[in-house]
Structures are given as C-alpha cells and as structure tokens.
Amino acid sequence: MTLDEIKSHLLVGASNKVTIDVSVMPEVPSDVREVSLYKGNTARIFFRPYGLDEKNVMFSKDYSSLEEMVQEMEAYLGLPISDWENFSRTGRYPDRSEQAAPVMDFGTYRQLMQSLVPAGFTE
C-alpha cells in the first residue's frame, strides 16, 4: 500500500475505513485481531472471536495526522506501509489456529488484550 492509496480509500470508500491487518493472535488463538484506519485519523484495534463479526474488545486512538497514524501502525505491525494489505478490498481471512485457547475470565482477557496494543489506545 501507499499513503495515497490509504487517503483515497478513506475519502471514497463506503465505510470511510481501511483494514490493514486481520490476523490470528498467538496469545489468544481463538481470536482475530483487526486493525483499521478511519477517516479523521482514528485507528481502531478489534479483537473478535474467530469467524464472528462481533467484537470482544475494541481499542481506539486519535492522531493529529494520517502520517503520524501510519508511522505508529508501521511500528506496531512491524511492517512498512509498502507491505500492508488492504483487507477491506481483498476480504482475505486468516486460517484458524489449531492451538487451544487459554481459559481466562473476561477481566484477565481484557488486560491481556490491552497489553497487545500500543500505548495510548483506550477501550
């Protein structure tokens, strides 16, 4: 992807967002992390049960610019923007993990998910 592609998708896309990551989380293999960038320079990180559209937990952060948001997401994902995939367009979904999910109460789950997002994101 490029910054111009993201700008274009945010301006003309029906949902005013672009999803840049959809992956199974090794820490909780029953969940999928979805990272999306929204018009207005907001990033949201959702943790959802595999195969479902309902969120368990969502974290959000507002940025002063698209460039700042992209820079932080590059660091968070460990990938330069040029290696990002536009999941909003491809619709690709990760394979299910064969790993068993750890058993935990929702409070412990929320704390674990908070530890998996960059500083400054709030629930």
Side-chain angles (χ1 to χ4, degrees), residues 51-84:
L52 298 177
D53 197 27
E54 300 165 7
K55 69 178 174 11
N56 272 344
V57 182
M58 187 268 297
F59 298 94
S60 182
K61 183 175 179 181
D62 295 325
Y63 293 86
S64 59
S65 69
L66 179 62
E67 292 78 11
E68 178 189 3
M69 181 168 58
V70 166
Q71 185 177 22
E72 185 163 322
M73 291 300 99
E74 285 178 318
Y76 174 59
L77 297 173
L79 292 171
I81 188 174
S82 60
D83 290 347
W84 291 359

mmCIF file of all heavy atoms in Angstrom, residues 51-84:
data_model
loop_
_atom_site.group_PDB
_atom_site.id
_atom_site.type_symbol
_atom_site.label_atom_id
_atom_site.label_comp_id
_atom_site.label_asym_id
_atom_site.label_seq_id
_atom_site.Cartn_x
_atom_site.Cartn_y
_atom_site.Cartn_z
ATOM 1 N N GLY A 51 -14.089 -16.133 13.192
ATOM 2 C CA GLY A 51 -15.238 -16.408 12.347
ATOM 3 C C GLY A 51 -16.480 -15.588 12.650
ATOM 4 O O GLY A 51 -17.486 -15.722 11.959
ATOM 5 N N LEU A 52 -16.430 -14.741 13.661
ATOM 6 C CA LEU A 52 -17.594 -13.930 14.011
ATOM 7 C C LEU A 52 -17.299 -12.452 13.782
ATOM 8 O O LEU A 52 -16.151 -12.013 13.869
ATOM 9 C CB LEU A 52 -17.984 -14.151 15.474
ATOM 10 C CG LEU A 52 -18.390 -15.580 15.841
ATOM 11 C CD1 LEU A 52 -18.683 -15.675 17.328
ATOM 12 C CD2 LEU A 52 -19.591 -16.026 15.031
ATOM 13 N N ASP A 53 -18.330 -11.683 13.524
ATOM 14 C CA ASP A 53 -18.172 -10.251 13.286
ATOM 15 C C ASP A 53 -18.338 -9.435 14.567
ATOM 16 O O ASP A 53 -18.182 -8.236 14.557
ATOM 17 C CB ASP A 53 -19.184 -9.797 12.237
ATOM 18 C CG ASP A 53 -18.815 -8.452 11.631
ATOM 19 O OD1 ASP A 53 -17.617 -8.122 11.603
ATOM 20 O OD2 ASP A 53 -19.728 -7.731 11.198
ATOM 21 N N GLU A 54 -18.668 -10.112 15.657
ATOM 22 C CA GLU A 54 -18.875 -9.409 16.920
ATOM 23 C C GLU A 54 -17.544 -9.186 17.611
ATOM 24 O O GLU A 54 -16.694 -10.068 17.640
ATOM 25 C CB GLU A 54 -19.782 -10.233 17.827
ATOM 26 C CG GLU A 54 -21.138 -10.498 17.217
ATOM 27 C CD GLU A 54 -21.892 -11.592 17.943
ATOM 28 O OE1 GLU A 54 -21.420 -12.044 18.993
ATOM 29 O OE2 GLU A 54 -22.935 -11.992 17.435
ATOM 30 N N LYS A 55 -17.375 -8.019 18.192
ATOM 31 C CA LYS A 55 -16.119 -7.738 18.883
ATOM 32 C C LYS A 55 -16.194 -8.179 20.337
ATOM 33 O O LYS A 55 -17.240 -8.110 20.970
ATOM 34 C CB LYS A 55 -15.753 -6.265 18.788
ATOM 35 C CG LYS A 55 -16.647 -5.323 19.574
ATOM 36 C CD LYS A 55 -16.160 -3.907 19.443
ATOM 37 C CE LYS A 55 -16.979 -2.832 20.034
ATOM 38 N NZ LYS A 55 -18.057 -3.019 20.888
ATOM 39 N N ASN A 56 -15.071 -8.665 20.834
ATOM 40 C CA ASN A 56 -14.928 -8.903 22.270
ATOM 41 C C ASN A 56 -14.470 -7.611 22.928
ATOM 42 O O ASN A 56 -15.020 -7.179 23.916
ATOM 43 C CB ASN A 56 -13.910 -10.003 22.540
ATOM 44 C CG ASN A 56 -14.533 -11.380 22.533
ATOM 45 O OD1 ASN A 56 -15.745 -11.527 22.619
ATOM 46 N ND2 ASN A 56 -13.705 -12.386 22.422
ATOM 47 N N VAL A 57 -13.434 -7.011 22.330
ATOM 48 C CA VAL A 57 -12.843 -5.783 22.865
ATOM 49 C C VAL A 57 -12.398 -4.919 21.692
ATOM 50 O O VAL A 57 -11.956 -5.428 20.662
ATOM 51 C CB VAL A 57 -11.615 -6.098 23.756
ATOM 52 C CG1 VAL A 57 -11.026 -4.831 24.344
ATOM 53 C CG2 VAL A 57 -11.967 -7.065 24.869
ATOM 54 N N MET A 58 -12.512 -3.584 21.834
ATOM 55 C CA MET A 58 -12.053 -2.661 20.817
ATOM 56 C C MET A 58 -11.274 -1.542 21.496
ATOM 57 O O MET A 58 -11.697 -1.023 22.529
ATOM 58 C CB MET A 58 -13.246 -2.070 20.051
ATOM 59 C CG MET A 58 -12.872 -1.217 18.846
ATOM 60 S SD MET A 58 -12.700 0.543 19.159
ATOM 61 C CE MET A 58 -14.322 1.022 19.664
ATOM 62 N N PHE A 59 -10.132 -1.210 20.925
ATOM 63 C CA PHE A 59 -9.307 -0.114 21.411
ATOM 64 C C PHE A 59 -9.183 0.915 20.301
ATOM 65 O O PHE A 59 -9.156 0.573 19.121
ATOM 66 C CB PHE A 59 -7.916 -0.618 21.819
ATOM 67 C CG PHE A 59 -7.952 -1.614 22.941
ATOM 68 C CD1 PHE A 59 -7.985 -2.975 22.680
ATOM 69 C CD2 PHE A 59 -7.974 -1.187 24.260
ATOM 70 C CE1 PHE A 59 -8.028 -3.905 23.709
ATOM 71 C CE2 PHE A 59 -8.024 -2.105 25.299
ATOM 72 C CZ PHE A 59 -8.055 -3.467 25.023
ATOM 73 N N SER A 60 -9.094 2.185 20.682
ATOM 74 C CA SER A 60 -9.101 3.264 19.710
ATOM 75 C C SER A 60 -8.108 4.353 20.108
ATOM 76 O O SER A 60 -7.846 4.562 21.292
ATOM 77 C CB SER A 60 -10.519 3.846 19.652
ATOM 78 O OG SER A 60 -10.605 4.869 18.706
ATOM 79 N N LYS A 61 -7.591 5.034 19.101
ATOM 80 C CA LYS A 61 -6.699 6.175 19.356
ATOM 81 C C LYS A 61 -6.853 7.169 18.208
ATOM 82 O O LYS A 61 -6.903 6.787 17.046
ATOM 83 C CB LYS A 61 -5.245 5.712 19.452
ATOM 84 C CG LYS A 61 -4.279 6.835 19.791
ATOM 85 C CD LYS A 61 -2.860 6.310 19.992
ATOM 86 C CE LYS A 61 -1.892 7.436 20.307
ATOM 87 N NZ LYS A 61 -0.515 6.928 20.473
ATOM 88 N N ASP A 62 -6.929 8.455 18.562
ATOM 89 C CA ASP A 62 -6.982 9.532 17.574
ATOM 90 C C ASP A 62 -5.582 10.093 17.377
ATOM 91 O O ASP A 62 -4.803 10.195 18.330
ATOM 92 C CB ASP A 62 -7.917 10.648 18.035
ATOM 93 C CG ASP A 62 -9.365 10.180 18.134
ATOM 94 O OD1 ASP A 62 -9.773 9.341 17.311
ATOM 95 O OD2 ASP A 62 -10.077 10.659 19.033
ATOM 96 N N TYR A 63 -5.294 10.484 16.149
ATOM 97 C CA TYR A 63 -3.983 11.031 15.793
ATOM 98 C C TYR A 63 -4.155 12.422 15.201
ATOM 99 O O TYR A 63 -5.213 12.744 14.665
ATOM 100 C CB TYR A 63 -3.292 10.123 14.765
ATOM 101 C CG TYR A 63 -2.923 8.776 15.328
ATOM 102 C CD1 TYR A 63 -3.836 7.727 15.328
ATOM 103 C CD2 TYR A 63 -1.677 8.553 15.885
ATOM 104 C CE1 TYR A 63 -3.497 6.483 15.850
ATOM 105 C CE2 TYR A 63 -1.340 7.318 16.413
ATOM 106 C CZ TYR A 63 -2.252 6.295 16.388
ATOM 107 O OH TYR A 63 -1.924 5.068 16.925
ATOM 108 N N SER A 64 -3.091 13.208 15.258
ATOM 109 C CA SER A 64 -3.148 14.556 14.699
ATOM 110 C C SER A 64 -3.014 14.549 13.178
ATOM 111 O O SER A 64 -3.397 15.513 12.524
ATOM 112 C CB SER A 64 -2.076 15.446 15.324
ATOM 113 O OG SER A 64 -0.790 14.908 15.085
ATOM 114 N N SER A 65 -2.479 13.466 12.601
ATOM 115 C CA SER A 65 -2.335 13.393 11.147
ATOM 116 C C SER A 65 -2.340 11.936 10.692
ATOM 117 O O SER A 65 -2.048 11.026 11.476
ATOM 118 C CB SER A 65 -1.030 14.053 10.690
ATOM 119 O OG SER A 65 0.080 13.282 11.104
ATOM 120 N N LEU A 66 -2.647 11.752 9.438
ATOM 121 C CA LEU A 66 -2.609 10.410 8.847
ATOM 122 C C LEU A 66 -1.180 9.869 8.874
ATOM 123 O O LEU A 66 -0.959 8.695 9.178
ATOM 124 C CB LEU A 66 -3.143 10.452 7.411
ATOM 125 C CG LEU A 66 -3.135 9.134 6.652
ATOM 126 C CD1 LEU A 66 -4.018 8.096 7.332
ATOM 127 C CD2 LEU A 66 -3.582 9.351 5.206
ATOM 128 N N GLU A 67 -0.227 10.718 8.617
ATOM 129 C CA GLU A 67 1.171 10.298 8.604
ATOM 130 C C GLU A 67 1.608 9.778 9.975
ATOM 131 O O GLU A 67 2.307 8.762 10.065
ATOM 132 C CB GLU A 67 2.082 11.460 8.151
ATOM 133 C CG GLU A 67 1.905 11.850 6.690
ATOM 134 C CD GLU A 67 0.653 12.708 6.411
ATOM 135 O OE1 GLU A 67 0.004 13.184 7.350
ATOM 136 O OE2 GLU A 67 0.322 12.869 5.223
ATOM 137 N N GLU A 68 1.200 10.460 11.039
ATOM 138 C CA GLU A 68 1.524 10.008 12.397
ATOM 139 C C GLU A 68 0.888 8.649 12.678
ATOM 140 O O GLU A 68 1.512 7.761 13.251
ATOM 141 C CB GLU A 68 1.049 11.043 13.420
ATOM 142 C CG GLU A 68 1.311 10.639 14.858
ATOM 143 C CD GLU A 68 0.638 11.554 15.874
ATOM 144 O OE1 GLU A 68 -0.101 12.487 15.489
ATOM 145 O OE2 GLU A 68 0.846 11.300 17.078
ATOM 146 N N MET A 69 -0.363 8.492 12.258
ATOM 147 C CA MET A 69 -1.071 7.234 12.469
ATOM 148 C C MET A 69 -0.373 6.101 11.708
ATOM 149 O O MET A 69 -0.151 5.023 12.265
ATOM 150 C CB MET A 69 -2.529 7.382 12.010
ATOM 151 C CG MET A 69 -3.373 6.141 12.213
ATOM 152 S SD MET A 69 -5.159 6.431 11.984
ATOM 153 C CE MET A 69 -5.265 7.064 10.317
ATOM 154 N N VAL A 70 -0.016 6.337 10.472
ATOM 155 C CA VAL A 70 0.667 5.324 9.670
ATOM 156 C C VAL A 70 2.009 4.958 10.293
ATOM 157 O O VAL A 70 2.350 3.775 10.400
ATOM 158 C CB VAL A 70 0.839 5.800 8.208
ATOM 159 C CG1 VAL A 70 1.837 4.939 7.452
ATOM 160 C CG2 VAL A 70 -0.511 5.814 7.502
ATOM 161 N N GLN A 71 2.761 5.948 10.743
ATOM 162 C CA GLN A 71 4.062 5.689 11.355
ATOM 163 C C GLN A 71 3.923 4.788 12.586
ATOM 164 O O GLN A 71 4.681 3.838 12.767
ATOM 165 C CB GLN A 71 4.736 7.016 11.725
ATOM 166 C CG GLN A 71 6.129 6.852 12.263
ATOM 167 C CD GLN A 71 6.784 8.201 12.555
ATOM 168 O OE1 GLN A 71 6.111 9.220 12.744
ATOM 169 N NE2 GLN A 71 8.094 8.204 12.581
ATOM 170 N N GLU A 72 2.934 5.070 13.441
ATOM 171 C CA GLU A 72 2.754 4.238 14.633
ATOM 172 C C GLU A 72 2.275 2.833 14.269
ATOM 173 O O GLU A 72 2.699 1.854 14.875
ATOM 174 C CB GLU A 72 1.786 4.870 15.634
ATOM 175 C CG GLU A 72 1.713 4.028 16.907
ATOM 176 C CD GLU A 72 1.116 4.755 18.091
ATOM 177 O OE1 GLU A 72 1.379 5.962 18.280
ATOM 178 O OE2 GLU A 72 0.387 4.096 18.843
ATOM 179 N N MET A 73 1.424 2.721 13.262
ATOM 180 C CA MET A 73 0.947 1.392 12.850
ATOM 181 C C MET A 73 2.061 0.585 12.188
ATOM 182 O O MET A 73 2.110 -0.633 12.336
ATOM 183 C CB MET A 73 -0.264 1.506 11.918
ATOM 184 C CG MET A 73 -1.524 2.030 12.612
ATOM 185 S SD MET A 73 -2.093 0.981 13.984
ATOM 186 C CE MET A 73 -1.444 1.859 15.397
ATOM 187 N N GLU A 74 2.975 1.254 11.482
ATOM 188 C CA GLU A 74 4.138 0.549 10.935
ATOM 189 C C GLU A 74 4.954 -0.076 12.064
ATOM 190 O O GLU A 74 5.354 -1.245 11.989
ATOM 191 C CB GLU A 74 5.034 1.499 10.129
ATOM 192 C CG GLU A 74 4.487 1.865 8.778
ATOM 193 C CD GLU A 74 5.385 2.838 8.036
ATOM 194 O OE1 GLU A 74 5.914 3.796 8.661
ATOM 195 O OE2 GLU A 74 5.571 2.636 6.823
ATOM 196 N N ALA A 75 5.179 0.688 13.124
ATOM 197 C CA ALA A 75 5.934 0.178 14.276
ATOM 198 C C ALA A 75 5.159 -0.936 14.972
ATOM 199 O O ALA A 75 5.737 -1.973 15.335
ATOM 200 C CB ALA A 75 6.234 1.319 15.251
ATOM 201 N N TYR A 76 3.867 -0.765 15.150
ATOM 202 C CA TYR A 76 3.036 -1.759 15.839
ATOM 203 C C TYR A 76 2.996 -3.082 15.074
ATOM 204 O O TYR A 76 3.164 -4.158 15.652
ATOM 205 C CB TYR A 76 1.629 -1.206 16.034
ATOM 206 C CG TYR A 76 0.643 -2.192 16.615
ATOM 207 C CD1 TYR A 76 0.857 -2.788 17.860
ATOM 208 C CD2 TYR A 76 -0.513 -2.533 15.930
ATOM 209 C CE1 TYR A 76 -0.050 -3.689 18.395
ATOM 210 C CE2 TYR A 76 -1.432 -3.425 16.458
ATOM 211 C CZ TYR A 76 -1.195 -4.006 17.690
ATOM 212 O OH TYR A 76 -2.100 -4.903 18.207
ATOM 213 N N LEU A 77 2.783 -3.009 13.766
ATOM 214 C CA LEU A 77 2.676 -4.220 12.961
ATOM 215 C C LEU A 77 4.039 -4.797 12.586
ATOM 216 O O LEU A 77 4.125 -5.944 12.155
ATOM 217 C CB LEU A 77 1.870 -3.938 11.685
ATOM 218 C CG LEU A 77 0.412 -3.517 11.899
ATOM 219 C CD1 LEU A 77 -0.216 -3.106 10.577
ATOM 220 C CD2 LEU A 77 -0.383 -4.633 12.568
ATOM 221 N N GLY A 78 5.077 -3.985 12.727
ATOM 222 C CA GLY A 78 6.411 -4.444 12.339
ATOM 223 C C GLY A 78 6.555 -4.569 10.833
ATOM 224 O O GLY A 78 7.368 -5.347 10.341
ATOM 225 N N LEU A 79 5.764 -3.789 10.105
ATOM 226 C CA LEU A 79 5.778 -3.813 8.637
ATOM 227 C C LEU A 79 5.725 -2.396 8.092
ATOM 228 O O LEU A 79 4.931 -1.580 8.578
ATOM 229 C CB LEU A 79 4.543 -4.541 8.090
ATOM 230 C CG LEU A 79 4.402 -6.029 8.322
ATOM 231 C CD1 LEU A 79 3.009 -6.493 7.892
ATOM 232 C CD2 LEU A 79 5.469 -6.785 7.552
ATOM 233 N N PRO A 80 6.514 -2.115 7.066
ATOM 234 C CA PRO A 80 6.378 -0.809 6.420
ATOM 235 C C PRO A 80 5.058 -0.759 5.654
ATOM 236 O O PRO A 80 4.509 -1.795 5.264
ATOM 237 C CB PRO A 80 7.577 -0.748 5.467
ATOM 238 C CG PRO A 80 7.898 -2.182 5.179
ATOM 239 C CD PRO A 80 7.545 -2.943 6.431
ATOM 240 N N ILE A 81 4.563 0.428 5.430
ATOM 241 C CA ILE A 81 3.291 0.613 4.730
ATOM 242 C C ILE A 81 3.297 -0.108 3.377
ATOM 243 O O ILE A 81 2.271 -0.632 2.944
ATOM 244 C CB ILE A 81 2.958 2.119 4.580
ATOM 245 C CG1 ILE A 81 1.544 2.316 4.036
ATOM 246 C CG2 ILE A 81 3.987 2.820 3.746
ATOM 247 C CD1 ILE A 81 1.102 3.768 3.989
ATOM 248 N N SER A 82 4.447 -0.177 2.732
ATOM 249 C CA SER A 82 4.532 -0.826 1.414
ATOM 250 C C SER A 82 4.206 -2.320 1.483
ATOM 251 O O SER A 82 3.848 -2.926 0.470
ATOM 252 C CB SER A 82 5.923 -0.623 0.809
ATOM 253 O OG SER A 82 6.917 -1.175 1.661
ATOM 254 N N ASP A 83 4.286 -2.921 2.661
ATOM 255 C CA ASP A 83 3.977 -4.345 2.837
ATOM 256 C C ASP A 83 2.568 -4.589 3.383
ATOM 257 O O ASP A 83 2.175 -5.737 3.592
ATOM 258 C CB ASP A 83 4.992 -5.012 3.778
ATOM 259 C CG ASP A 83 6.371 -5.147 3.144
ATOM 260 O OD1 ASP A 83 6.503 -4.968 1.909
ATOM 261 O OD2 ASP A 83 7.324 -5.427 3.891
ATOM 262 N N TRP A 84 1.814 -3.533 3.637
ATOM 263 C CA TRP A 84 0.463 -3.696 4.154
ATOM 264 C C TRP A 84 -0.456 -4.217 3.056
ATOM 265 O O TRP A 84 -0.281 -3.931 1.878
ATOM 266 C CB TRP A 84 -0.104 -2.379 4.665
ATOM 267 C CG TRP A 84 0.546 -1.849 5.896
ATOM 268 C CD1 TRP A 84 1.566 -2.401 6.625
ATOM 269 C CD2 TRP A 84 0.222 -0.624 6.544
ATOM 270 N NE1 TRP A 84 1.884 -1.598 7.686
ATOM 271 C CE2 TRP A 84 1.075 -0.493 7.658
ATOM 272 C CE3 TRP A 84 -0.690 0.382 6.295
ATOM 273 C CZ2 TRP A 84 1.029 0.591 8.518
ATOM 274 C CZ3 TRP A 84 -0.738 1.467 7.136
ATOM 275 C CH2 TRP A 84 0.110 1.563 8.245
#
